[in-house]
């Protein structure tokens, strides 16, 4: 009977952003500009790494996967939000909602695992510079990427299958602009105890364990720097780790702000604002952080641009 009730429920209604009617046009234009910037910025990094042979290293293989994850992470929610704002139709099918939730969890978890792999890369580069190519071989780097994808796929599929077994037989309005797992569980009229246990256990593994691993990596990096204190060593460490540390701070800062400090009076508004920050703003900022703080990326961009200009001039 539970399965019949579930399949009979055909669609949800996304409440969207809490905006006044006269704000819709401005916010739509802002979100469209931010999404296009996210797509172009992350695509540019992927293309540069692909075209420049100097960037065919473990660090930039991980970075290209992170950029792809950011691009897809934003694409899971923002186009649907823009479509709903334009058409004023907040509906999303039951299957479409579960699909959106699956890919949202997939790319969120993937980013967490990739940030751990990048932290390990930075740890080896600073603490064992002479053995870097031996320790972090292309095979190991590829294994870290594959493992990140496999773990993220398994975890997101587990949450999706557990949600698919639930019945939704009451209110179908999701107080969010996308199909968030916690928002969906609040609408379920069947027992969600198993879902909550899995969220508690797996959620801790996906957020707390990676955060501790990253913290441990940087603690060892700092310890290594202080063993041989020098202005050159400190500058090298900051130039090597600055971009990654900025992205980690953004990613985990948003998560900690959302889940560790819940607001009692205005939780829906807060959750929406924080969700906008980590689904729209963070993926847009990451390419700027890496391009502005990374000399290799800026050098690759300059070289590619110079080659194109020369090719264009010769063609004329």
């Amino acid at each position: 009977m539970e399965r019949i009730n579930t399949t009979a429920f055909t669609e949800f209604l996304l409440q969207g952003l809490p905006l006044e009617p006269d704000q819709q046009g401005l916010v739509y234009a802002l979100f469209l500009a931010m999404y296009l910037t996210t797509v172009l910025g992350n695509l540019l990094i992927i293309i540069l790494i692909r075209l420049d042979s100097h960037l065919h290293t473990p660090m930039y293989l991980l970075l290209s996967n992170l950029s792809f994850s950011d691009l897809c992470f934003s694409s899971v929610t923002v186009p649907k939000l823009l479509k709903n704002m334009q058409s004023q139709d907040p509906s999303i099918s039951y299957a479409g909602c579960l699909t959106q939730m699956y890919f949202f969890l997939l790319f969120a978890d993937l980013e967490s695992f990739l940030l751990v792999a990048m932290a390990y890369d930075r740890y080896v580069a600073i603490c064992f510079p002479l053995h870097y190519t031996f320790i972090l071989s292309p095979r190991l780097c590829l294994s870290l990427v594959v493992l990140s994808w496999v773990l993220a796929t398994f975890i997101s599929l587990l949450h999706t299958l557990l949600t698919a077994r639930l019945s939704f037989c009451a209110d179908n309005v999701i107080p969010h602009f996308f199909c968030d797992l916690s928002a969906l569980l609040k609408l379920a009229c069947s027992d969600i105890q198993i879902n909550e246990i899995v969220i508690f256990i797996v959620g801790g593994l996906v957020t707390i364990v990676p955060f501790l691993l990253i913290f441990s990596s940087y603690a060892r990096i700092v310890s290594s720097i202080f063993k041989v204190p020098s202005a050159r060593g400190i500058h090298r460490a900051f130039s090597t780790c600055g971009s990654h540390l900025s992205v980690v701070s953004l990613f985990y800062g948003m998560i900690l702000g959302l889940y560790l400090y819940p607001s009692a009076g205005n939780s829906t508004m807060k959750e929406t604002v924080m969700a906008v920050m980590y689904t729209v703003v963070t993926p847009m900022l990451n390419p700027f952080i890496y391009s502005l703080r990374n000399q290799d990326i800026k050098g690759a961009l300059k070289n590619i641009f110079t080659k194109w200009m020369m090719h264009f001039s010769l063609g004329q």
Side-chain angles (χ1 to χ4, degrees):
M1 180 63 69
E2 182 177 301
R3 185 59 186 168
I4 294 174
N5 288 340
T6 302
T7 53
F9 198 87
T10 58
E11 68 176 17
F12 293 99
L13 300 177
L14 296 172
Q15 186 170 297
L17 301 175
L19 301 172
E20 297 296 331
D22 58 336
Q23 298 175 327
Q24 291 279 345
L26 178 61
V27 173
Y28 177 87
L30 178 62
F31 272 58
L32 178 60
M34 293 172 71
Y35 176 65
L36 292 176
T37 303
T38 300
V39 172
L40 294 175
N42 284 290
L43 274 179
L44 180 61
I45 287 183
I46 294 172
I47 292 171
L48 287 176
I49 294 173
R50 178 71 177 176
L51 294 180
D52 195 323
S53 59
H54 296 95
L55 301 182
H56 294 174
T57 63
M59 173 183 174
Y60 292 107
L61 172 63
L62 295 171
L63 177 56
S64 63
N65 275 269
L66 182 68
S67 294
F68 179 75
S69 177
D70 279 333
L71 191 159
C72 295
F73 185 50
S74 186
S75 298
V76 168
T77 57
V78 179
K80 177 62 177 174
L81 172 63
L82 294 174
K83 179 178 178 295
N84 289 354
M85 291 177 68
Q86 188 178 45
S87 64
Q88 297 297 313
D89 178 15
S91 65
I92 183 171
S93 67
Y94 173 79
C97 189
L98 290 183
T99 301
Q100 187 184 56
M101 185 190 76
Y102 167 78
F103 283 107
F104 177 84
L105 293 172
L106 170 65
F107 292 113
D109 294 342
L110 178 62
E111 178 144 353
S112 182
F113 296 136
L114 288 174
L115 288 175
V116 174
M118 295 176 77
Y120 178 69
D121 171 81
R122 297 301 82 205
Y123 162 69
V124 175
I126 291 178
C127 298
F128 305 98
L130 299 179
H131 300 91
Y132 175 78
T133 55
F134 175 76
I135 296 175
L136 205 67
S137 63
R139 183 177 180 179
L140 176 60
C141 184
L142 184 61
S143 298
L144 291 175
V145 172
V146 172
L147 180 62
S148 299
W149 275 95
V150 170
L151 288 175
T153 300
F154 172 76
I155 292 169
S156 57
L157 185 61
L158 175 62
H159 284 305
T160 304
L161 291 177
L162 288 175
T163 304
R165 55 179 281 275
L166 300 176
S167 298
F168 298 93
C169 50
D171 187 10
N172 69 334
V173 178
I174 299 175
H176 221 309
F177 65 90
F178 68 96
C179 291
D180 181 58
L181 176 59
S182 60
L184 274 175
L185 293 182
K186 292 176 183 177
L187 301 180
C189 58
S190 53
D191 186 14
I192 61 171
Q193 185 175 4
I194 296 177
N195 300 72
E196 291 177 333
I197 292 173
V198 171
I199 289 173
F200 179 78
I201 297 174
V202 177
L205 293 175
V206 172
T207 55
I208 297 175
V209 172
F211 179 78
L212 291 177
L213 289 173
I214 293 172
F215 181 82
S216 175
S217 296
Y218 276 102
R220 295 190 177 191
I221 288 172
V222 172
S223 175
S224 176
I225 294 172
F226 285 151
K227 286 180 181 178
V228 188
S230 67
R232 183 181 178 184
I234 294 174
H235 175 75
R236 176 173 172 268
F238 275 109
S239 63
T240 304
C241 300
S243 300
H244 178 257
L245 197 55
S246 300
V247 173
V248 168
S249 301
L250 265 177
F251 182 77
Y252 285 102
M254 297 299 172
I255 293 177
L256 294 176
L258 181 59
Y259 293 107
L260 295 188
Y261 299 98
S263 61
N266 199 21
S267 58
T268 302
M269 172 67 78
K270 180 191 172 184
E271 287 179 5
T272 302
V273 172
M274 294 299 290
V276 168
M277 292 296 294
Y278 70 74
T279 59
V280 183
V281 178
T282 301
M284 180 190 69
L285 292 179
N286 286 354
F288 288 100
I289 292 173
Y290 276 104
S291 61
L292 293 176
R293 298 180 62 93
N294 191 300
Q295 296 298 324
D296 293 335
I297 293 290
K298 288 191 285 188
L301 180 60
K302 182 179 179 180
N303 291 338
I304 297 297
F305 182 75
T306 302
K307 289 180 181 178
W308 283 351
M309 291 298 295
M310 290 177 61
H311 180 75
F312 180 77
S313 299
L314 292 174
Q316 294 293 322

